[in-house]
Amino acid sequence: MLDDKDRALLRRMQADPSLTVPELAVLAGVTAGQAARRLDRMTDQGIIRGQTAVIDWARLGYPLQVSLRVTLDKAVPSAFDAFLAAAREVAEVLEIQTFLGRVDVRLVLVARDLQHYQMLYRDHILALPHIADIEALMDVAAVKSDERLPL
C-alpha cells in the first residue's frame, strides 16, 4: 500500500508538520510534484486525515486536565447516541473516546482551576443523559504524548 517514498514523506511530516511540500520533497528524496501527488493520494485514501495545532492549554489558562470514565445506562436503546450528542456540546471537552467493556466512554476535559472543574462537573457533566457511573482521573503529568509511529 505504501512504498518507501510514501513512508519517508509521512515520517518527515510527522516530525515537522509545518514543512512545505517542496521542503518535504527534498527531505524525502522526491520532486515537489511527486510529493504533492503522493500526499494528495494519501489524503484521498484517508491515510492523512489532516493537520492540527498542538495547543498548550495550560498557557491559555486551562492547566487542569481531567479524564472521566463513564459507564452508561444501557437499558435505554438511545442512551449512547444521546450521551455522545450532549457531550459534544460541552466546550471544555476536548476528546471523546468510546470503548467496549465496563467503561463505555472516556471524556477528556480542561478547566481553569478546581472551582471551574467543579462547576463543569456539576452543571454540565452530571447533566449529561444516561450516566450510570462516572470516575474522574485528574492528570498529574503527561509522560508521553506522541502520535508518531515508526514508518
Side-chain angles (χ1 to χ4, degrees):
M1 183 162 144
L2 296 180
D3 64 17
D4 290 341
K5 297 296 182 184
D6 291 334
R7 286 185 189 85
L9 284 166
L10 290 174
R11 268 194 305 276
R12 299 302 183 165
M13 188 179 215
Q14 285 183 113
D16 186 356
S18 68
L19 292 173
T20 65
V21 171
E23 291 169 331
L24 284 169
V26 168
L27 293 170
V30 297
T31 67
Q34 290 172 324
R37 284 189 297 280
R38 286 171 178 270
L39 293 169
D40 286 345
R41 177 180 46 79
M42 288 187 283
T43 300
D44 291 343
Q45 293 174 342
I47 295 167
I48 299 172
R49 296 186 320 186
Q51 295 181 15
T52 61
V54 178
I55 306 295
D56 185 337
W57 290 101
R59 289 182 184 247
L60 290 178
Y62 292 86
L64 254 55
Q65 184 168 317
V66 181
S67 294
L68 300 171
R69 297 193 298 193
V70 180
T71 303
L72 298 175
D73 176 7
K74 295 168 191 76
V76 179
S78 63
F80 208 79
D81 292 335
F83 177 87
L84 293 176
R88 284 184 187 100
E89 298 301 317
V90 180
E92 290 83 359
V93 171
L94 301 180
E95 187 174 344
I96 302 172
Q97 294 179 326
T98 61
F99 297 95
L100 294 174
R102 191 185 72 76
V103 172
D104 296 309
V105 180
R106 182 175 76 98
L107 304 177
V108 176
L109 62 91
V110 291
R112 291 186 297 272
D113 51 34
L114 278 174
Q115 185 177 6
H116 181 225
Y117 169 71
Q118 289 173 337
M119 183 278 300
L120 287 170
Y121 188 79
R122 278 191 318 268
D123 298 347
H124 297 285
I125 301 303
L126 291 179
L128 295 173
H130 309 294
I131 294 176
D133 188 35
I134 189 166
E135 179 183 12
L137 302 168
M138 190 161 300
D139 289 9
V140 175
V143 177
K144 180 179 180 182
S145 180
D146 191 353
E147 291 190 17
R148 291 180 293 167
L149 290 175
L151 295 172

